[in-house]
Amino acid sequence: MGIAVNADATSGTPPNGRTRTIGMVFPPAGDHYTETQMEFIGRVAEAAQEHDYDVLLTTGREVDDRPFQRMLTGHRVDGLILMEIRLEDARAAHLVELGFPFVTIGQSGLENTWWVDMDWVSLGRACVRHLADLGHRRIAFVNRSEEFFRAGYESAHRGLEGFNQGVAELGLTGRGHLCGDDEAEGEACLERILLEDPDTTALVTLNEASLGGVYRGLTRAGRVVPRDFSVVGLVSGPWVETVAPPLTAADEPIDEISRVAVELMLERLDSPGASPRHVVLRSLISIRSSTGPCPSGPGAEF
């Protein structure tokens, strides 16, 4: 897959005004890229190559970060695909001011921008409804880290919004919990959930990196999945089969998101005056083995 800068891009003299290189600004989650992030990088590179474009990857959480600023100088790239979007994303606002073409994977909330995104709110509601249909009445939500949430990361806020809507609509008891992005934090988060509400019988998680720790914490607490406790993820990823039992979750359309992002980027470049386009993708939950009837609810077998 080639994640590399086009040779002409480094010379500062792009042929026909194009470098045929797309920049991808994608800060890692915490200290490293997760498996899902790595899959996104690969899929964007593959989608770009289908159009004879290269992808130049860099990090950059803030406008003043040097990797982000380097993307905007020296004719390195024709446009940017921006990821890890915040509700108020200063990077996106800066690009709007510059008139620099970009597409976001996620919604920044800015007008007249191009983006593709999952419908996180509807997905959060669907996860709650799935658990409610199984008889669960007390449900927790495992979110991203406090750092990511307070920074305004869009998926963390919209996922929680959908969870809260679902809980309110169905008259359930539910609470969100911030969780660091690793297994140790997942285990600690699960311990807090059961300490604060021992009658919790299920959780919805947005935090892929902590999932193994959540499972380990349930084992330590004597809860067998799904007999005693159900776990559902907003989206699945390469890690969905790494836990046992496999996680019930919506299948994240990484291929489609990546393809659409590249196509929107090229459309922007080919038609600079075109009206902004938004693409919202919706996924159904794939039932695997991590969810089952509430042990004390309707239809329970235990």
Side-chain angles (χ1 to χ4, degrees), residues 110-173:
L110 296 171
E111 296 183 0
N112 300 321
T113 57
W114 298 58
W115 53 262
V116 55
D117 197 14
M118 293 275 292
D119 189 344
W120 295 103
V121 174
S122 293
L123 192 51
R125 294 172 63 198
C127 289
V128 171
R129 182 169 293 279
H130 170 63
L131 293 172
D133 288 345
L134 292 170
H136 296 278
R137 308 295 299 175
R138 307 183 78 86
I139 305 171
F141 182 79
V142 178
N143 208 328
R144 297 291 300 275
S145 68
E146 181 175 1
E147 175 188 1
F148 272 57
F149 188 81
R150 295 194 184 284
Y153 278 82
E154 182 244 357
S155 59
H157 283 262
R158 297 193 194 279
L160 177 61
E161 180 183 348
F163 173 83
N164 287 336
Q165 286 183 11
V167 166
E169 290 166 358
L170 298 172
L172 309 180
T173 298

Side-chain angles (χ1 to χ4, degrees), residues 162-206:
F163 173 83
N164 287 336
Q165 286 183 11
V167 166
E169 290 166 358
L170 298 172
L172 309 180
T173 298
R175 180 179 177 184
H177 297 262
L178 299 175
C179 178
D181 295 320
D182 60 56
E183 293 194 2
E185 291 289 337
E187 188 170 358
C189 182
L190 189 280
E191 184 177 348
R192 290 195 302 273
I193 289 170
L194 296 182
L195 181 64
E196 294 175 11
D197 186 357
D199 294 329
T200 301
T201 60
L203 65 80
V204 179
T205 181
L206 181 64

